[in-house]
Amino acid sequence: MSLPFFKNKNLQSGFTLVEMVTVVAIIVIMTIVVLANFPEFRDRSSLELVAQEVALVVRQAQAFGTNTRAASFSTLEFPSYGLYFNVNAPPGAVFQSNDSFRLFADDPSQTGSIGRYSDGEVPCTPGTTECREVYRLPTGITFTKLETCQSSGPCSNITATNALNIVFARPNPEAAFVSESGSNLCGGSCSYAKITLSSVRAGTTQCVYIWATGHIYTKPSCP
């Protein structure tokens, strides 16, 4: 009588060569698929992160404008702060293009230019210019459209003809949308501004929405 745990070696089974080759082939195919999609996934994730960072800088300007961060050149104790976007900078422009934007503190001593960025392409030198900081987008990501919109109507594309100033003035958290010349866009009645960022490699877009009420958020694949 043989004990049950003593089995004939000939009856023991395992993987055959064909089964092993099949398993390895499946793993290789799955790895190729994952690696092939990884760059696109990475670029989409990078674009989403950049859009969130742009929104964060807008919130920073809002906090500076509505609280107590004073500019050293200012004759006012609490000047307004804003963001300046110009995706159609002239050829050769170094500091402003479709891959950068500026945080600025408005200098009230510049008559006729209150409420907008007015230092043009000068280097960013806090203390002597309105520019507080220049933010540059990563390679492969650009601003492709600037729009001002009404909540119940179509958006106006200002990319081709104008720059966009988004300004926050103390003590209100609301945003004002101002043109290159200093006039209020939409006659001062814009509901929100929409800034579109695009990834060349991923072929996708992300939008940053800034409402006149002060609400700021991002949205993927914006219309």
Side-chain angles (χ1 to χ4, degrees):
M1 177 179 177
S2 61
L3 295 176
F5 50 80
F6 289 125
K7 296 183 179 179
N8 192 321
K9 292 183 179 180
N10 293 329
L11 298 179
Q12 294 179 2
S13 60
F15 287 108
T16 65
L17 180 60
V18 173
E19 291 172 332
M20 185 68 75
V21 170
T22 301
V23 171
V24 171
I26 292 174
I27 294 174
V28 170
I29 292 172
M30 292 178 63
T31 302
I32 292 173
V33 171
V34 170
L35 291 177
N37 291 324
F38 179 74
E40 183 179 350
F41 170 78
R42 179 195 58 200
D43 292 338
R44 287 199 306 268
S45 299
S46 177
L47 178 62
E48 181 179 353
L49 179 60
V50 170
Q52 292 173 355
E53 290 176 344
V54 171
L56 184 61
V57 176
V58 177
R59 293 188 185 99
Q60 182 182 37
Q62 184 183 47
F64 287 172
T66 58
N67 290 296
T68 57
R69 185 180 176 91
S72 59
F73 58 76
S74 177
T75 57
L76 293 180
E77 188 176 2
F78 305 119
S80 59
Y81 277 77
L83 285 311
Y84 175 74
F85 299 86
N86 182 0
V87 302
N88 287 313
V94 176
F95 298 104
Q96 198 68 39
S97 63
N98 65 355
D99 63 356
S100 66
F101 65 107
R102 292 188 174 205
L103 169 68
F104 71 91
D106 189 31
D107 183 356
S109 68
Q110 298 193 31
T111 304
S113 63
I114 296 175
R116 69 180 177 90
Y117 178 69
S118 54
D119 277 338
E121 292 296 323
V122 299
C124 188
T125 309
T128 58
T129 68
E130 289 190 330
C131 181
R132 302 290 96 181
E133 191 167 353
V134 177
Y135 296 89
R136 301 188 185 282
L137 303 182
T139 302
I141 297 178
T142 60
F143 295 112
T144 50
K145 188 182 293 185
L146 305 173
E147 298 172 274
T148 51
C149 311
Q150 299 287 353
S151 58
S152 59
C155 293
S156 298
N157 183 2
I158 66 172
T159 305
T161 58
N162 216 329
L164 172 64
N165 294 274
I166 301 173
V167 183
F168 299 93
R170 193 177 190 274
N172 302 313
E174 290 84 1
F177 308 113
V178 182
S179 71
E180 181 81 24
S181 63
S183 61
N184 286 322
L185 295 167
C186 311
S189 62
C190 296
S191 298
Y192 62 94
K194 182 169 67 171
I195 300 171
T196 304
L197 298 96
S198 299
S199 170
V200 176
R201 291 186 293 263
T204 58
T205 61
Q206 283 271 341
C207 276
V208 181
Y209 290 81
I210 304 98
W211 283 76
T213 56
H215 185 42
I216 303 162
Y217 63 92
T218 64
K219 184 178 179 181
S221 301
C222 45

